[in-house]
Short mmCIF file of all heavy atoms in Angstrom, two decimals:
data_model
loop_
_atom_site.label_atom_id
_atom_site.label_comp_id
_atom_site.label_asym_id
_atom_site.label_seq_id
_atom_site.Cartn_x
_atom_site.Cartn_y
_atom_site.Cartn_z
N ARG A 793 17.31 -26.88 -18.12
CA ARG A 793 17.51 -25.45 -18.38
C ARG A 793 19.02 -25.21 -18.73
O ARG A 793 19.88 -25.98 -18.25
CB ARG A 793 17.34 -24.68 -17.04
CG ARG A 793 15.97 -24.19 -16.78
CD ARG A 793 16.06 -23.25 -15.63
NE ARG A 793 16.69 -21.92 -15.96
CZ ARG A 793 16.70 -20.89 -15.20
NH1 ARG A 793 16.19 -20.98 -13.99
NH2 ARG A 793 17.27 -19.75 -15.58
N GLY A 794 19.29 -24.23 -19.53
CA GLY A 794 20.66 -24.00 -20.00
C GLY A 794 21.14 -22.63 -19.91
O GLY A 794 22.36 -22.36 -20.19
N THR A 795 20.31 -21.60 -19.58
CA THR A 795 20.73 -20.25 -19.53
C THR A 795 20.09 -19.46 -18.35
O THR A 795 19.07 -19.93 -17.82
CB THR A 795 20.36 -19.52 -20.81
OG1 THR A 795 18.99 -19.75 -21.01
CG2 THR A 795 21.09 -19.99 -22.07
N GLY A 796 20.65 -18.30 -18.17
CA GLY A 796 20.04 -17.42 -17.16
C GLY A 796 20.24 -17.94 -15.68
O GLY A 796 21.03 -18.83 -15.51
N GLY A 797 19.53 -17.36 -14.78
CA GLY A 797 19.66 -17.78 -13.42
C GLY A 797 18.43 -17.40 -12.61
O GLY A 797 17.28 -17.54 -13.17
N ALA A 798 18.58 -16.81 -11.43
CA ALA A 798 17.43 -16.52 -10.64
C ALA A 798 16.68 -15.19 -11.17
O ALA A 798 15.86 -14.69 -10.46
CB ALA A 798 17.86 -16.37 -9.21
N ASN A 799 17.14 -14.70 -12.28
CA ASN A 799 16.42 -13.52 -12.90
C ASN A 799 15.09 -14.10 -13.56
O ASN A 799 14.21 -13.30 -13.74
CB ASN A 799 17.24 -12.87 -13.94
CG ASN A 799 17.91 -13.76 -15.01
OD1 ASN A 799 17.92 -15.00 -14.81
ND2 ASN A 799 18.54 -13.20 -15.96
N ALA A 800 15.03 -15.34 -13.84
CA ALA A 800 13.79 -15.89 -14.38
C ALA A 800 12.86 -16.19 -13.25
O ALA A 800 13.23 -16.21 -12.07
CB ALA A 800 14.15 -17.22 -15.10
N GLY A 801 11.59 -16.45 -13.63
CA GLY A 801 10.65 -16.75 -12.55
C GLY A 801 9.41 -17.49 -13.17
O GLY A 801 8.90 -16.98 -14.20
N HIS A 802 9.01 -18.50 -12.56
CA HIS A 802 7.77 -19.16 -13.03
C HIS A 802 6.98 -19.57 -11.81
O HIS A 802 7.49 -19.93 -10.74
CB HIS A 802 7.96 -20.26 -14.04
CG HIS A 802 9.05 -21.24 -13.63
ND1 HIS A 802 10.22 -21.37 -14.36
CD2 HIS A 802 9.11 -22.10 -12.57
CE1 HIS A 802 10.98 -22.26 -13.71
NE2 HIS A 802 10.27 -22.77 -12.65
N PHE A 813 9.12 -19.97 -8.51
CA PHE A 813 10.47 -20.66 -8.59
C PHE A 813 11.33 -19.87 -9.56
O PHE A 813 10.82 -19.41 -10.61
CB PHE A 813 10.31 -22.09 -9.01
CG PHE A 813 10.00 -23.01 -7.87
CD1 PHE A 813 8.97 -22.63 -6.91
CD2 PHE A 813 10.66 -24.19 -7.74
CE1 PHE A 813 8.74 -23.51 -5.84
CE2 PHE A 813 10.32 -25.06 -6.71
CZ PHE A 813 9.39 -24.70 -5.78
N HIS A 814 12.61 -19.74 -9.28
CA HIS A 814 13.54 -19.06 -10.18
C HIS A 814 14.51 -19.92 -10.82
O HIS A 814 15.02 -19.63 -11.86
CB HIS A 814 14.25 -17.97 -9.34
CG HIS A 814 13.30 -16.96 -8.71
ND1 HIS A 814 12.66 -16.06 -9.34
CD2 HIS A 814 12.86 -16.85 -7.45
CE1 HIS A 814 11.82 -15.29 -8.55
NE2 HIS A 814 12.00 -15.84 -7.38
N LEU A 815 14.90 -21.05 -10.16
CA LEU A 815 15.98 -21.89 -10.69
C LEU A 815 15.44 -23.31 -11.05
O LEU A 815 15.83 -23.80 -12.09
CB LEU A 815 17.10 -21.95 -9.67
CG LEU A 815 17.96 -20.72 -9.59
CD1 LEU A 815 18.90 -20.76 -8.44
CD2 LEU A 815 18.91 -20.58 -10.93
N VAL A 816 14.76 -23.91 -10.18
CA VAL A 816 14.42 -25.33 -10.43
C VAL A 816 13.47 -25.37 -11.62
O VAL A 816 12.48 -24.59 -11.71
CB VAL A 816 13.67 -25.86 -9.17
CG1 VAL A 816 13.15 -27.28 -9.49
CG2 VAL A 816 14.62 -25.97 -8.03
N ILE A 829 19.69 -28.62 -14.19
CA ILE A 829 20.14 -27.20 -14.33
C ILE A 829 21.55 -27.25 -15.01
O ILE A 829 22.51 -27.85 -14.44
CB ILE A 829 20.20 -26.48 -12.92
CG1 ILE A 829 18.79 -26.48 -12.34
CG2 ILE A 829 20.85 -25.13 -13.06
CD1 ILE A 829 18.64 -25.79 -10.97
N GLY A 830 21.55 -26.79 -16.25
CA GLY A 830 22.80 -27.10 -17.07
C GLY A 830 23.95 -26.12 -16.84
O GLY A 830 23.92 -25.17 -16.11
N GLY A 832 25.22 -23.76 -18.57
CA GLY A 832 25.17 -22.38 -18.97
C GLY A 832 24.36 -21.53 -17.92
O GLY A 832 24.28 -20.24 -18.17
N VAL A 833 23.89 -22.11 -16.88
CA VAL A 833 23.14 -21.28 -15.93
C VAL A 833 24.04 -20.72 -14.89
O VAL A 833 25.10 -21.27 -14.52
CB VAL A 833 22.16 -22.35 -15.20
CG1 VAL A 833 21.51 -21.64 -13.98
CG2 VAL A 833 21.07 -22.82 -16.12
N VAL A 834 23.77 -19.52 -14.41
CA VAL A 834 24.47 -18.92 -13.31
C VAL A 834 23.60 -19.17 -12.09
O VAL A 834 22.50 -18.75 -11.95
CB VAL A 834 24.74 -17.33 -13.48
CG1 VAL A 834 25.87 -17.16 -14.44
CG2 VAL A 834 23.55 -16.69 -14.08
N LEU A 835 24.14 -19.97 -11.19
CA LEU A 835 23.39 -20.56 -10.10
C LEU A 835 23.69 -19.92 -8.77
O LEU A 835 24.81 -19.95 -8.27
CB LEU A 835 23.63 -22.06 -10.07
CG LEU A 835 22.65 -22.94 -9.22
CD1 LEU A 835 22.59 -24.31 -9.88
CD2 LEU A 835 23.06 -23.00 -7.85
N ASP A 836 22.66 -19.35 -8.10
CA ASP A 836 22.80 -18.82 -6.78
C ASP A 836 22.36 -19.84 -5.75
O ASP A 836 21.16 -20.17 -5.78
CB ASP A 836 21.93 -17.51 -6.72
CG ASP A 836 22.06 -16.82 -5.35
OD1 ASP A 836 22.47 -17.54 -4.36
OD2 ASP A 836 21.80 -15.66 -5.26
N VAL A 839 19.32 -19.23 -3.42
CA VAL A 839 18.02 -19.26 -4.02
C VAL A 839 17.57 -20.74 -4.22
O VAL A 839 16.51 -21.11 -3.94
CB VAL A 839 17.94 -18.53 -5.33
CG1 VAL A 839 16.63 -18.63 -6.01
CG2 VAL A 839 18.40 -17.09 -5.10
N GLU A 843 14.41 -22.98 -2.68
CA GLU A 843 13.41 -23.71 -3.46
C GLU A 843 13.34 -25.21 -3.04
O GLU A 843 12.26 -25.81 -3.06
CB GLU A 843 13.74 -23.52 -4.97
CG GLU A 843 13.53 -22.03 -5.38
CD GLU A 843 13.91 -21.80 -6.90
OE1 GLU A 843 14.16 -22.74 -7.61
OE2 GLU A 843 13.79 -20.59 -7.21
N LYS A 865 27.76 -21.99 -13.52
CA LYS A 865 28.55 -20.89 -12.91
C LYS A 865 27.96 -20.44 -11.62
O LYS A 865 26.71 -20.40 -11.48
CB LYS A 865 28.52 -19.69 -13.86
CG LYS A 865 29.45 -19.86 -15.11
CD LYS A 865 28.80 -20.73 -16.22
CE LYS A 865 29.80 -21.17 -17.24
NZ LYS A 865 29.45 -22.43 -17.87
N VAL A 867 26.98 -18.04 -8.62
CA VAL A 867 26.62 -16.63 -8.35
C VAL A 867 27.06 -16.40 -6.86
O VAL A 867 26.66 -17.14 -5.97
CB VAL A 867 25.16 -16.30 -8.50
CG1 VAL A 867 24.83 -14.94 -7.96
CG2 VAL A 867 24.77 -16.40 -9.95
N THR A 890 17.43 -7.28 -12.81
CA THR A 890 16.64 -7.94 -11.70
C THR A 890 17.42 -7.90 -10.43
O THR A 890 16.95 -8.31 -9.37
CB THR A 890 16.29 -9.30 -12.06
OG1 THR A 890 17.50 -10.06 -12.24
CG2 THR A 890 15.41 -9.42 -13.32
N ARG A 892 19.93 -9.77 -9.61
CA ARG A 892 20.20 -11.16 -9.13
C ARG A 892 21.66 -11.59 -9.39
O ARG A 892 22.03 -12.73 -9.36
CB ARG A 892 19.32 -12.12 -9.81
CG ARG A 892 17.87 -11.90 -9.41
CD ARG A 892 17.55 -11.91 -7.97
NE ARG A 892 16.16 -11.77 -7.64
CZ ARG A 892 15.44 -12.72 -7.05
NH1 ARG A 892 16.01 -13.91 -6.77
NH2 ARG A 892 14.17 -12.49 -6.73
N GLY A 893 22.46 -10.59 -9.78
CA GLY A 893 23.95 -10.83 -10.01
C GLY A 893 24.25 -11.53 -11.26
O GLY A 893 25.40 -12.05 -11.51
N ILE A 894 23.35 -11.48 -12.24
CA ILE A 894 23.53 -12.23 -13.51
C ILE A 894 24.70 -11.69 -14.30
O ILE A 894 25.56 -12.44 -14.70
CB ILE A 894 22.18 -12.15 -14.31
CG1 ILE A 894 20.98 -12.63 -13.46
CG2 ILE A 894 22.33 -12.92 -15.59
CD1 ILE A 894 21.04 -13.95 -12.95
N GLY A 895 24.69 -10.38 -14.58
CA GLY A 895 25.74 -9.81 -15.47
C GLY A 895 27.12 -10.04 -14.88
O GLY A 895 27.95 -10.59 -15.55
N ALA A 897 28.16 -12.28 -12.79
CA ALA A 897 28.61 -13.66 -12.70
C ALA A 897 29.08 -14.12 -14.12
O ALA A 897 30.08 -14.82 -14.25
CB ALA A 897 27.45 -14.53 -12.20
N TYR A 898 28.31 -13.81 -15.19
CA TYR A 898 28.72 -14.18 -16.47
C TYR A 898 30.07 -13.48 -16.89
O TYR A 898 30.91 -14.04 -17.53
CB TYR A 898 27.64 -13.81 -17.58
CG TYR A 898 26.60 -14.87 -17.69
CD1 TYR A 898 25.25 -14.54 -17.36
CD2 TYR A 898 26.86 -16.16 -18.07
CE1 TYR A 898 24.21 -15.50 -17.48
CE2 TYR A 898 25.81 -17.13 -18.19
CZ TYR A 898 24.57 -16.75 -17.87
OH TYR A 898 23.54 -17.77 -18.00
N GLY A 1002 13.92 -22.74 -22.26
CA GLY A 1002 14.64 -21.48 -22.36
C GLY A 1002 14.37 -20.59 -21.24
O GLY A 1002 13.41 -20.80 -20.49
N ALA A 1003 15.15 -19.54 -21.11
CA ALA A 1003 14.86 -18.53 -20.08
C ALA A 1003 14.95 -17.18 -20.77
O ALA A 1003 15.64 -17.01 -21.74
CB ALA A 1003 15.91 -18.59 -18.89
N GLN A 1004 14.28 -16.14 -20.17
CA GLN A 1004 14.26 -14.81 -20.72
C GLN A 1004 13.70 -14.89 -22.22
O GLN A 1004 12.96 -15.83 -22.47
CB GLN A 1004 15.59 -14.02 -20.71
CG GLN A 1004 15.94 -13.59 -19.35
CD GLN A 1004 16.43 -14.63 -18.43
OE1 GLN A 1004 17.27 -15.46 -18.77
NE2 GLN A 1004 15.88 -14.74 -17.17
N THR A 1019 19.84 -9.19 -21.24
CA THR A 1019 20.46 -9.91 -20.12
C THR A 1019 21.89 -10.42 -20.62
O THR A 1019 22.34 -10.03 -21.72
CB THR A 1019 19.55 -11.03 -19.68
OG1 THR A 1019 20.19 -11.60 -18.45
CG2 THR A 1019 19.35 -12.12 -20.66
N SER A 1020 22.60 -11.20 -19.79
CA SER A 1020 23.99 -11.52 -20.18
C SER A 1020 24.16 -12.87 -20.77
O SER A 1020 25.32 -13.41 -20.72
CB SER A 1020 24.86 -11.21 -18.96
OG SER A 1020 24.77 -9.85 -18.61
N SER A 1021 23.12 -13.52 -21.13
CA SER A 1021 23.22 -14.85 -21.76
C SER A 1021 22.59 -14.90 -23.12
O SER A 1021 21.83 -13.96 -23.39
CB SER A 1021 22.60 -15.97 -20.89
OG SER A 1021 21.20 -15.62 -20.70
N THR A 1112 9.59 -12.16 -10.79
CA THR A 1112 10.80 -12.02 -10.00
C THR A 1112 10.83 -10.73 -9.20
O THR A 1112 11.26 -10.70 -8.00
CB THR A 1112 12.04 -12.15 -10.86
OG1 THR A 1112 11.95 -13.40 -11.51
CG2 THR A 1112 13.29 -12.07 -10.08
#
Side-chain angles (χ1 to χ4, degrees):
R793 267 193 74 172
T795 52
N799 49 352
H802 45 247
F813 277 45
H814 303 283
L815 283 167
V816 174
I829 298 182
V833 170
V834 281
L835 193 151
D836 183 337
V839 178
E843 293 179 5
K865 286 80 193 152
V867 174
T890 60
R892 301 303 184 112
I894 307 299
Y898 279 117
Q1004 286 76 49
T1019 188
S1020 298
S1021 59
T1112 301

